[in-house]
Amino acid sequence: MVDKNMDVLIVDDYRTMLRIIRNLLKQLGFGNVDEATDGQMALEMMREKRYGLVISDWNMEPMTGLQLLKAVRADNDLKGTPFIMVTAESKTENVLEAKKAGVNNYIVKPFNAETLKAKLVSVIGQF
Amino acid sequence: MNMKTDLDKAIEAAVERSKGDWTRDDLENIIREVVTNIEGDIDSVHVKLFQQIESLAKTISQTKKELASIRPDEIRSKHLPQASDELDAIVGATEEATGTIMDSCEAIEEMASGIGGETAEKLVEAVTKIYEACSFQDITGQRVSKVVKALKEVEEKVERILNAFGDEYKDLVQSEPQQDTAPKELTEEDLLNGPQLDHEANDKDEIDRLFNS
């Protein structure tokens, strides 16, 4: 079973979305949630603390979610971190690009709590 | 260039030959000689070409006047920034409202955890649906950002038009009929501007002061 006390990092440049994901995760029992507002900030936080899961938006500045994902996968210490992309980018080429970069799963905004739960289970296992 | 020179020469030669008293025949000969030269140098293709160039020049001139009349400087300096500000205000207002909704949801969740049982479950279920619905703010924000980006592109294109005009634009604008700047009586239509941006709006105290003065 998954340890719900794991540290989760959520990355989004919209405060509303950070809050929504944080609250939905809390409802699912994940209380240790940190927030970053772009890829660069997230990467720095990941180098300071080991996260059990990263849930990231794609479209952010200065570092996008895809750049963050590539940086994570290229870093020997971080490359095994489960990574879910939550984004409004729903085109096939986006999904394929993220898959190629090593994303574990992909959620298209807007999404509901059931979708988030199902994707979490598929990435980190049953909880 | 060469054509003009030939024509000049023909005219000069004809005039030279006819110095002194001119008879009707002399004049006729001069005209015939010049026309013959014109026909030799300018054929119907040239004439048609000149007509088209002239027409093109008129069109360019007219287009410049029309472009000046829509005041691209105002589009760039006033209308487009105003539209961007309004869109930013939409994002700001929806973000604030969503924040307030979520504050209330979190308070309800807190209360639900104290109640427990089926009622609490139903409350949490309802709150979850509100959280899901609140993601509209993120989507709206992204869509508005795309519109703002499109406006910026329009602004750049307008800038290019203005640069292409150069100083000529100022002359064209000055030649446009001046707008009537005299104070006019406000109609109801003038008064209906919709919600004001923060920096333009009166706050409640100012309204009260105006109302009580």
Side-chain angles (χ1 to χ4, degrees):
Chain A
M1 287 291 274
V2 169
D3 176 13
K4 287 186 177 178
N5 288 319
M6 72 161 81
D7 287 305
V8 180
L9 177 62
I10 51 178
V11 194
D12 203 303
D13 54 350
Y14 275 86
R15 279 183 294 157
T16 306
M17 189 48 69
L18 286 172
R19 208 165 158 186
I20 291 169
I21 297 174
R22 172 190 279 278
N23 285 336
L24 292 177
L25 285 171
K26 192 178 158 196
Q27 285 184 355
L28 293 170
F30 295 88
N32 297 325
V33 178
D34 288 338
E35 298 174 358
T37 51
D38 81 278
Q40 188 59 48
M41 185 180 172
L43 195 59
E44 282 160 22
M45 288 170 74
M46 289 179 77
R47 286 183 175 141
E48 293 293 317
K49 186 172 172 181
R50 197 47 46 90
Y51 288 96
L53 174 67
V54 175
I55 300 174
S56 175
D57 182 27
W58 183 320
N59 194 354
M60 297 173 290
E61 285 178 355
M63 185 190 266
T64 67
L66 185 70
Q67 288 168 337
L68 170 66
L69 172 62
K70 286 177 178 174
V72 167
R73 293 293 179 250
D75 187 312
N76 278 335
D77 293 332
L78 306 174
K79 65 181 176 191
T81 312
F83 198 112
I84 297 176
M85 194 79 89
V86 183
T87 174
E89 309 292 341
S90 59
K91 286 185 178 172
T92 307
E93 57 260 37
N94 289 93
V95 181
L96 293 178
E97 187 65 28
K99 201 176 164 190
K100 198 172 119 190
V103 79
N104 295 92
N105 219 316
Y106 202 94
I107 302 175
V108 176
K109 292 176 186 173
F111 59 94
N112 59 31
E114 280 305 306
T115 305
L116 178 65
K117 187 180 178 184
K119 299 283 181 175
L120 285 177
V121 169
S122 79
V123 172
I124 57 174
Q126 197 65 45
F127 53 87
Chain B
M1 281 312 253
N2 191 33
M3 175 187 72
K4 193 178 172 187
T5 311
D6 289 346
L7 269 175
D8 287 344
K9 281 178 188 168
I11 292 166
E12 278 167 18
V15 169
E16 193 59 37
R17 283 200 302 278
S18 307
K19 274 187 175 164
D21 295 332
W22 289 9
T23 63
R24 188 181 175 282
D25 287 344
D26 291 333
L27 280 173
E28 194 180 318
N29 284 336
I30 291 170
I31 291 166
R32 202 179 294 281
E33 199 167 334
V34 171
V35 169
T36 306
N37 269 284
I38 290 173
E39 281 172 351
D41 287 333
I42 308 174
D43 58 18
S44 62
V45 175
H46 282 111
V47 170
K48 209 169 177 180
L49 190 64
F50 291 147
Q51 283 171 344
Q52 285 176 350
I53 290 169
E54 192 185 4
S55 165
L56 193 62
K58 277 182 187 165
T59 306
I60 290 170
S61 171
Q62 185 59 30
T63 305
K64 280 181 176 176
K65 277 183 189 159
E66 282 170 14
L67 280 172
S69 72
I70 60 169
R71 300 301 302 260
D73 58 330
E74 281 188 1
I75 291 175
R76 183 190 54 171
S77 64
K78 184 176 158 193
H79 302 302
L80 290 176
Q82 196 173 10
S84 292
D85 287 349
E86 296 282 356
L87 291 169
D88 286 340
I90 290 173
V91 176
T94 56
E95 190 174 347
E96 200 180 320
T98 311
T100 308
I101 292 167
M102 291 185 75
D103 286 345
S104 302
C105 285
E106 283 166 11
I108 293 169
E109 262 192 310
E110 193 66 37
M111 283 188 268
S113 67
I115 297 169
E118 197 183 334
T119 309
E121 275 178 30
K122 282 185 177 165
L123 280 172
V124 170
E125 205 175 299
V127 164
T128 304
K129 291 208 181 306
I130 297 173
Y131 286 150
E132 290 168 5
C134 283
S135 63
F136 86 92
Q137 199 273 322
D138 173 88
I139 306 291
T140 307
Q142 291 194 41
R143 289 197 192 286
V144 170
S145 297
K146 278 167 101 171
V147 177
V148 170
K149 202 173 162 190
L151 284 175
K152 293 265 177 232
E153 281 171 23
V154 172
E155 205 174 326
E156 279 168 23
K157 285 183 169 49
V158 171
E159 177 87 39
R160 264 186 260 163
I161 291 174
L162 282 171
N163 288 341
F165 273 134
D167 290 339
E168 198 182 347
Y169 177 73
K170 286 175 199 156
D171 300 335
L172 284 166
V173 168
Q174 277 163 5
S175 69
E176 281 294 306
Q178 290 292 307
Q179 301 247 335
D180 185 10
T181 51
K184 58 170 186 170
E185 199 174 325
L186 289 173
T187 64
E188 190 177 345
E189 200 179 340
D190 295 326
L191 290 168
L192 297 176
N193 296 304
Q196 298 297 289
L197 295 170
D198 282 346
H199 65 274
E200 293 171 346
N202 285 314
D203 63 24
K204 290 182 182 61
D205 290 340
E206 283 167 329
I207 302 278
D208 287 344
R209 204 163 45 243
L210 285 168
F211 202 75
N212 295 325
S213 63

